[in-house]
Amino acid sequence: MTGVCPNQQIEAMIDAGQIRAVPPVLPAQVQPASLDLRLGNVAYRVRASFLAGAGNIVSSRLNEFEMHRIDLSQGAVLEKGCVYLVPLMESLALPEDVSAVANAKSSTGRLDLLTRTITDGGIEFDRIPAGYSGPLYAEICPRSFSVLVRPGMRLNQIRFRCGQASLSDDDLRALHAQTPLVDGPAVIQDGLGFSVDLRLPGSDLVGYRAKPHTCVIDLDRIDAYDPAEYWEEVRTRDGRIILDPGAFYILVSREAVHIPPLYAAEMAPYLAMVGEFRVHYAGFFDPGFGHAEAGGAGSRGVLEVRCHEAPFVLEHGQIVGRLVYEKMSERPTQLYGAGIASNYQGQGLKLSKHFKAPS
């Protein structure tokens, strides 16, 4: 079957030994169209980010770049601005017709915690070729906040697909005509475009900017931290803000997104030529995100924005990213937000789950 593998196929892959783990995979790791990956027991502080490269294995490249290793068993701090490599508990023995793509989980991206997956022989981050057999590693670089991590924490996730799953623009237009994918006009070009909302109803609060000097965030603590200690509010009354070079922002899409049960989507950056910024963490949108059957009524996409070389004026309604829709190989037996712990169904402008809701 062609398409993205749903949860029941992922479970079958685990049973068949195509997905392996020590200790075994937990049921809570299996999402409607992806599998959460768990940190192992050790982190390697490395001099720089790297890829293994064709014909090389990651463990041999570590000999070139390792500075020291950190035991995570009792918890350890990964410091802002440093690069770490952590072997994951999961490994793969994929069939020849199944490839995979990995990505940071939503809460990871909202903490500006750059997390990418690398493999033996890998020439790209987060891309696992069909038939890959071997270990998985997470490269972690905290950009805004130092974080406390432990073995078993789930910072990234992996999605499996068989064959070509992406919808063409014509297919996307037909799907939107059948079941609206956004709550307004659909801008379709190499995917479904989405724009930034800088005129939120009844408020001049349009986003948050990470503060430069903060305390450590324990990733196991949920609804625990005062946003004011970590974030500056971004406010505007005229529908535009100026992004500062090097700063990290949490904003929200103008469109409410809908992912029907037979589809999944991936957030991809928009054309680099539109400005000195990017929505820099791609993200997975599971089947059922924003879907009425799964308790949604369209859900806004949270935008994790970093400005690059020069200050840049970002204006209300400006297109900043695109959603690439993919067909599922079959309907998942569970949907995002329907009977599972889905933190961001029906969301608007929202920080990660680690922060208390604004009073």
Side-chain angles (χ1 to χ4, degrees):
M1 291 181 288
T2 300
V4 174
C5 297
N7 60 286
Q8 63 269 30
Q9 289 184 354
I10 294 172
E11 290 164 354
M13 292 173 69
I14 296 168
D15 292 340
Q18 296 165 359
I19 301 170
R20 305 167 179 173
V22 180
V25 172
L26 301 171
Q29 289 177 245
V30 181
Q31 304 299 326
S34 61
L35 175 73
D36 293 346
L37 300 173
R38 296 170 297 174
L39 300 182
N41 296 314
V42 63
Y44 298 90
R45 168 76 167 94
V46 292
R47 290 187 287 133
S49 171
F50 68 91
L51 290 163
N56 299 315
I57 61 174
V58 173
S59 58
S60 67
R61 302 303 306 273
L62 268 174
N63 294 330
E64 303 174 53
F65 302 113
E66 178 187 347
M67 298 174 67
H68 59 88
R69 63 191 65 185
I70 304 166
D71 181 5
L72 301 184
S73 60
Q74 301 303 312
V77 173
L78 304 185
E79 296 190 28
K80 171 182 170 181
C82 298
V83 183
Y84 301 88
L85 190 72
V86 181
L88 297 171
M89 293 180 176
E90 289 72 31
S91 62
L92 302 177
L94 295 180
E96 291 301 322
D97 60 347
V98 175
S99 62
V101 59
N103 210 280
K105 289 177 64 65
S106 294
S107 294
T108 307
R110 295 182 201 204
L111 290 175
D112 199 18
L113 189 57
L114 180 61
T115 304
R116 303 184 287 192
T117 302
I118 66 174
T119 62
D120 288 345
I123 58 174
E124 295 181 278
F125 292 107
D126 288 333
R127 297 297 187 265
I128 296 97
Y132 175 77
S133 182
L136 299 172
Y137 299 83
E139 178 197 273
I140 303 171
C141 180
R143 303 288 303 276
S144 290
F145 312 114
S146 296
V147 294
L148 178 63
V149 301
R150 299 177 183 85
M153 283 185 170
R154 297 177 281 174
L155 303 189
N156 55 347
Q157 56 194 344
I158 192 167
R159 183 173 281 180
F160 303 93
R161 62 166 66 91
C162 185
Q164 170 59 35
S166 298
L167 272 63
S168 69
D169 285 351
D170 287 342
D171 291 338
L172 203 53
R173 293 186 186 97
L175 179 60
H176 178 67
Q178 175 187 349
T179 175
L181 303 177
V182 291
D183 61 345
V187 178
I188 297 176
Q189 182 179 357
D190 297 324
L192 178 67
F194 60 91
S195 59
V196 63
D197 194 342
L198 297 179
R199 295 186 185 275
L200 299 184
S203 176
D204 62 353
L205 175 65
V206 298
Y208 299 91
R209 168 179 160 156
K211 290 186 173 182
H213 308 291
T214 65
C215 295
V216 170
I217 294 176
D218 182 341
L219 298 185
D220 270 341
R221 299 189 64 196
I222 309 303
D223 192 28
Y225 296 100
D226 181 356
E229 295 182 4
Y230 295 84
W231 301 93
E232 299 171 356
E233 294 182 344
V234 177
R235 296 180 178 271
T236 180
R237 296 185 182 276
D238 56 9
R240 67 171 180 261
I241 60 175
I242 297 177
L243 304 178
D244 288 331
F248 177 74
Y249 297 83
I250 295 292
L251 304 172
V252 69
S253 73
R254 186 172 60 164
E255 297 80 10
V257 177
H258 170 216
I259 312 294
L262 286 172
Y263 298 89
E266 182 178 356
M267 188 185 295
Y270 203 56
L271 296 174
M273 299 302 290
V274 300
E276 291 290 335
F277 73 96
R278 67 166 292 186
V279 181
H280 75 295
Y281 292 115
F284 290 157
F285 288 71
D286 273 333
F289 183 85
H291 183 61
E293 184 180 330
S299 291
R300 307 280 169 172
V302 167
L303 311 177
E304 299 138 3
V305 176
R306 181 174 292 280
C307 186
H308 291 325
E309 303 299 329
F312 184 78
V313 177
L314 192 61
E315 302 192 78
H316 176 73
Q318 184 169 345
I319 292 180
V320 295
R322 57 195 171 93
L323 282 181
V324 177
Y325 277 72
E326 298 180 298
K327 62 182 179 181
M328 302 294 298
S329 63
E330 60 180 312
R331 183 186 171 110
T333 59
Q334 64 183 41
L335 297 176
Y336 186 92
I340 60 175
S342 303
N343 290 291
Y344 303 116
Q345 183 72 293
Q347 70 182 354
L349 177 64
K350 186 177 175 67
L351 296 172
S352 78
K353 61 188 178 183
H354 307 91
F355 297 97
K356 298 175 182 177
S359 55

